[in-house]
Each structure stands twice: as structure tokens, then as C-alpha cells.
Amino acid sequence: MKRLALIVAALLTLAGCSQPDVPERDSDSAPQKTLTVFAAASLQGAFTEIGKRFEDDTHGVKVKFNFAGSADLVAQIEQGAPADVFASADAANMTKAMDADLIGGQAQDFATNTLEIATPPGNPADIESLKDLSDPDVKVVLCASQVPCGAAAAKVEKVTGVDIKPVSEEQSVTDVLGKVISGEADAGLVYVTDVKAAGSKVHGVPFRDAGRVVNTYPVAAVRHAKDESLAAYFVDYLARPDAQSVLAAFGFGKP
Amino acid sequence: MPRWVLLPAALGAAFIVLPLAALATRVEWTHFFALISSDSSQAALWLSLRTSAASTVLCVVLGVPMALVLARTSFRGQSFVRSIVLLPLVLPPVVGGIALLYTFGRKGLLGETIDVLGLQIAFSTTAVVIAQTFVALPFMVVSLEGTLRTAGERYEVVAATLGARPTTVLRRVTLPLVLPGLAAGAVLSFARALGEFGATITFAGSLEGVTRTLPLEIYLQRETDPDAAVALSLLLVVVAVLVIGLVRGARSSAP
């Protein structure tokens, strides 16, 4: 019996990774209106701030966020997670959501982001340009091409002709930053906003031609949103100077 | 056993079988073999089998002596030592990965020693094996210690009074006696190593053919090709079931 229990435990651990939490819909009797925004992980800082301002502006609307990778968010909405607004880190995932008939109304671009080289503090490998990343002695970590930051990195390689041989292709920007912050990697390619958010834990090295690969963030109201006008209002709100100034402060570019 | 026990037991079994069955229903059977035979899938499967086998060998080499010490000696603080050894069972694998990073990483506790020896652990297949061994070792120790205690020391004492040296007793009496427990421990270790995800992605990185094992490949494929992720998940389940089934079959056919 004991052995059987162990085998069961082992089988359970085979499915070891957990899903990110999905916020629950408030009960209908709640007097307060809530707006549930599913947003790309890179928007966490900026959207938390914008959410506060939106709550102040709308007097009593409560904004709830679910931050995760854009592809995860699309999958969650597809499985019926209660989202009112979807803000994606790239056009590809917004297109995926539209193709799956998850979006009501038009998608609007509200921010842009470009890549920057991140190194551990003090830049131990003396990275000064993108070309330095092609040195085989430099341990470079990129995002895998399946995720938006990796797709952007691949485009940068293509337009500049610099061939980077990464020691690891990570799942997300956070994983790339983790390897850089811990000093395991000499450099990584992440978004300008990620370098800014990491503060003194990483050193940013801007490179020429970064502006040639611009990542655009679209936002749209989700089909069957609880309150469609409120969802549409939030989408429009992101284009306002108030929200745009917050996004700029976090390093995002104008759409 | 009271008959009502059957009801919760059946519920428990359904709880495990149902998700696996649901997974099978989502497989695109027409493309199944194309999906699992892509280059990246093959590389991931092969890497997973190789690293899990290596980890299992390490678990035997290190785990058998540990189980012997825990089962056949008593010393102050033994129960404390046992809890520490079993810690990776309950620790989130990501935490294990972070701990390993600060031990074997470039800036880690042993980082400089490893550097002096001219070894490269970060982003290598060795790192994958280390991560897998870390999480799988307790399975070996738990399983074998239980068997050793159940088997008792009678035969060992008899062998010793007949003049056998301790090493001979271990080789000729103890190990043959606990072989089923050792095999069960090895299978559990292999299965746990095969499913390892969190510690690997945190500590070893993710690169095709080097560090991207099957669970990491599944997680990555989810981003762009959910069908491939489902097909690979089923493949992993099948491999795990085969491994467990093979050994159970071999053991039940033995006298």
C-alpha cells in the first residue's frame, strides 16, 4: 500500500507545473462594478498604476488584473476565464484571440516597446554593442522564438545580420532577466521597459538599430464582457494623455 | 475493510484517470505521429531519457548508502537529518532550482571551485542531471529505507555470526533481500526525473538538445502549437506508464 501511495505521488508530480491564478468574477449582488483586465506580464507596473487612476476617475469601479504571458492569457480566455479587456504584448496573440472569436470590437495599439541589451551590474563581459553578443565566449540568453520577446530578438538578428548563438532560449523575459541578474549569463536581450523595471539589478546597453524592430501592444474589449461600455471605456482610456504619461514613465513608446 | 471505502477510493481513482483521459481526447490523432516525431520533439525525448537515466544512476549511487545509514544506524538528530533529506519532496521545484543556482552557479557557493576545475555547469546537460537528481533522490531513500526496515536485520546478524565481513553481508545478504525496494526506488526516481520541470528551467536553462527536456519542450510548444504540446504530454504519460508498468510486471513475475 505504501509503495502504491508513492507511485501515485510520483505520477502527480509528473504534472508539476501550475497554472497562474485566474481572478474570479464577483457575485452579481456586489454593488460595486468591477472590470477584469487580462494584460501581458510586461505591463504589470504601468497597468497597476493606470488601474488606480482609472478607479479614481470612474468613482467606484474596481479594476482587477491578471498578468501573464500573452499566449497563456489567450488560452485562459478561450477556456472561459472572465476577462473584460485583453491587452497583448504583440499583434500575433491579439490576432490569435480575434481568430478564436474572443474579441468584441476593434483592437487599438496603445504602446510600443523595443529591445535593449541587459547585462549584470558592472557589465563584466564589457558588452558595448549588439555585435559583442556574437562572440562565442560571451554567454548570451535570449527568449525562445515562440514567445514575443524571442520573435523580436530573431527579427533584430535578421535586420542587423548579427548571428547570436545563445546558451539558453528562455520561456519569458523574467527567465532571461533571472539568468542575467544572477550572473549566470553575461548578457540577455529584453525590452527597454524590463531593464527600466529591474532598476540597479541589471545594466542596460542600448544598441543601434534597436528602433528598427518595434513591438506594438494592442488592447481590445473581450466579446461578452460583463459591461461592454465599461470595457470599451478602459480601451479608450489607455490612449488618453494621463495613461500615456504613465506608460512613458515605465519606458513604453507611443503607438 | 468496510465496503463504503470503495466509494471514496473510486472517486480518487477517477480524479487521477479523468484528467489523463481528457488529455487523450484532445490529441489530434491524425497528426499525432507527425507532432511527436518533429526534430525538436525527438531531441527533447532523447535528452529526457538520457538525463533521467543518468540521474537514476546517481540516485542509486548516493541513495542506497543514505538509506542504509538511516535504516541501520541510530544517532542523535537522525530524524532531523531524515526530514532534511526528504525536503526536496515537498519543496517547490523552482525553489530547488534557485538553491542549486546559488550552489553550482557561476557566482554560487561552489562556483569558483568548479571554475578552477575547468568545469562548466551552467547551461549544460550536467545542470539538468543535477536538478533531476536533487528532486528524485528522496524517492530512492524513502523507498529503500522502508524496505530495509521491513526486511529486518535477522539474516544479516546470522551471516555475520557465520563470519561474513560487513561488505560481504551487504553484497550477499542485504542487497539481494531489498532488491524489490531498490528497483521501486529506482523507478520512482526515474519517473520523477522524467517529469522534472521547475528546477531545470530555473537552474539549467532551455536549449534544444542540451537542456530542453520533454517537459520544457511541452511548456514552450504551448505558446505557439497547443496541439503539439498535447501530443507530447501524452507521449510523456505513456513513457512514464511504461517505465512503472515494466518494473511492476518484472517484479510480479519474480517469485
Side-chain angles (χ1 to χ4, degrees), chain A residues 3 72 168-169 184 186, chain B residues 106 191 201 206 222 248 251:
Chain A
R3 207 166 287 139
D72 276 341
S168 183
E169 294 166 357
E184 286 308 301
D186 296 317
Chain B
R106 257 176 167 184
I201 206 164
S206 174
R222 254 175 77 250
R248 289 201 80 89
R251 275 180 49 204

Side-chain angles (χ1 to χ4, degrees), chain B:
Chain B
M1 184 186 83
R3 289 184 62 168
W4 60 262
V5 172
L6 288 174
L7 185 70
L11 268 177
F15 179 61
I16 291 168
V17 172
L18 217 57
L20 295 178
L23 188 69
T25 62
R26 280 303 178 94
V27 173
E28 297 257 351
W29 291 106
T30 42
H31 306 296
F32 183 70
F33 287 101
L35 289 172
I36 63 166
S37 60
S38 70
D39 286 347
S40 57
S41 306
Q42 293 292 311
L45 175 64
W46 178 229
L47 179 71
S48 267
L49 292 174
R50 264 164 47 218
T51 51
S52 301
S55 311
T56 308
V57 170
L58 272 177
C59 284
V60 171
V61 170
L62 301 173
V64 172
M66 286 164 78
L68 278 168
V69 169
L70 286 175
R72 289 290 185 263
T73 66
S74 59
F75 52 88
R76 267 185 57 178
Q78 190 177 26
S79 57
F80 177 71
V81 171
R82 186 182 291 112
S83 340
I84 296 291
V85 167
L86 299 188
L87 211 51
L89 276 181
V90 291
L91 218 55
V94 176
V95 176
I98 294 172
L100 289 171
L101 199 59
Y102 289 129
T103 314
F104 297 101
R106 257 176 167 184
K107 302 259 178 74
L109 214 55
L110 304 177
E112 279 189 22
T113 322
I114 290 162
D115 217 29
V116 170
L117 294 172
L119 297 171
Q120 291 277 1
I121 288 186
F123 307 117
S124 72
T125 307
T126 313
V128 177
V129 176
I130 291 176
Q132 291 176 346
T133 307
F134 182 79
V135 296
L137 192 54
F139 284 84
M140 185 75 215
V141 178
V142 169
S143 171
L144 190 58
E145 194 201 342
T147 317
L148 278 165
R149 287 188 179 278
T150 316
E153 296 182 49
R154 279 175 301 152
Y155 296 106
E156 294 167 13
V157 173
V158 171
T161 51
L162 292 174
R165 289 163 183 276
T167 305
T168 315
V169 174
L170 176 67
R171 197 162 51 83
R172 302 286 299 273
V173 179
T174 314
L175 288 183
L177 210 56
V178 297
L179 206 58
L182 205 157
V187 171
L188 288 177
S189 303
F190 185 88
R192 179 65 189 91
L194 197 64
E196 165 39 44
F197 172 80
T200 310
I201 206 164
T202 321
F203 172 54
S206 174
L207 191 68
E208 186 179 315
V210 182
T211 50
R212 188 175 295 152
T213 55
L214 204 44
L216 270 64
E217 174 74 15
I218 291 169
Y219 195 57
L220 186 60
Q221 287 297 344
R222 254 175 77 250
E223 293 282 341
T224 46
D225 192 351
D227 288 344
V230 170
L232 288 173
S233 304
L234 196 69
L235 179 68
L236 188 64
V237 172
V238 169
V239 172
V241 168
L242 275 181
V243 169
I244 292 173
L246 272 181
V247 171
R248 289 201 80 89
R251 275 180 49 204
S252 57
S253 66

